[in-house]
Amino acid sequence: MGGMTLTPTARVVLGMLRLGKRTGYEIKQLVDVSTRFFWAASYGQIYPELKRLEERGLVESEPQPTGGRARTEYRLTVAGERALDEWLASDAEPAMELRDEALLKIFFSEGRDTGEALRTVRALRAKHERILASLRVIDPNPTDPDPGPYLTLQYGLGLHDWAIEWCKTTEERLSGRSGSKTREKVGSHA
């Protein structure tokens, strides 16, 4: 099954199943406290992806009703293990996507009152401070034989710390011009 293409959501789902999560609900719960900081997945993505993965023979399901509620548990098949391993070992350049509405607003704020951009930057800093605070309570073991969660946490801490510092510097820069119209063009280094 060499070269099987996995969607971004399939990668998350297969990885979570390998970590021992068994239901769509359990996958979503772990996503919300781990990968959502760098790769989110919603229920609306997880459940259809589980179905597609099962159709492709990468996962198997088994009904496990509890307390009168329908519940389905999933597990990786050998083909699913192989597909996940192939993706992990792939030399293809990993996708990187940054979508931040605050940055979009700042980008398009040229020629507008810098007070608006300043408010946006302050809101962006507050968001990064909240995320940083939530990351600081996560405590993976740095000596764990699988350092992946620890390493990605360190990346997140550094990234959000840097973003906060960038916001502070940008706030100082914009505060000096608050109330004026921005005249710099995108890409200038004044």
Side-chain angles (χ1 to χ4, degrees), residues 1 59-60 70 74 77 82 116-118 129 134 161 164-165:
M1 211 167 240
V59 302
E60 297 173 332
Y74 295 87
T77 62
R82 188 169 36 250
E116 292 173 9
L118 183 57
E129 288 170 343
S134 64
D161 192 43
I164 290 165
E165 291 307 312

Side-chain angles (χ1 to χ4, degrees), residues 97-143:
E97 180 179 325
L98 173 65
R99 293 172 60 111
D100 191 312
E101 187 176 359
L103 290 176
L104 194 61
K105 284 183 172 185
I106 294 165
F107 183 85
F108 289 119
S109 69
E110 181 176 342
R112 300 191 47 87
D113 182 324
T114 57
E116 292 173 9
L118 183 57
R119 284 188 297 278
T120 301
V121 172
R122 287 178 176 150
L124 181 61
R125 178 172 48 88
K127 179 179 71 172
H128 283 287
E129 288 170 343
R130 285 190 304 274
I131 293 169
L132 186 61
S134 64
L135 289 174
R136 285 190 171 135
V137 300
I138 300 171
D139 190 28
N141 182 353
T143 61

Side-chain angles (χ1 to χ4, degrees), residues 1-73:
M1 211 167 240
M4 178 171 284
T5 303
L6 297 175
T7 67
T9 303
R11 297 168 188 155
V12 172
V13 169
L14 293 176
M16 292 297 177
L17 289 172
R18 180 176 278 171
L19 291 177
K21 299 303 156 194
R22 298 285 178 243
T23 67
Y25 177 81
E26 289 175 354
I27 290 169
K28 176 65 171 141
Q29 295 306 299
L30 185 54
V31 163
D32 284 349
V33 297
S34 62
T35 65
R36 84 164 168 92
F37 294 104
F38 54 91
W39 203 273
S42 68
Y43 285 118
Q45 294 169 307
I46 292 169
Y47 285 106
E49 193 63 48
L50 283 165
K51 184 178 180 107
R52 282 189 293 272
L53 290 169
E54 187 168 26
E55 289 168 357
R56 292 173 66 188
L58 301 179
V59 302
E60 297 173 332
S61 68
E62 186 175 335
Q64 295 290 331
T66 56
R69 290 186 5 218
R71 180 180 171 194
T72 303
E73 289 190 354

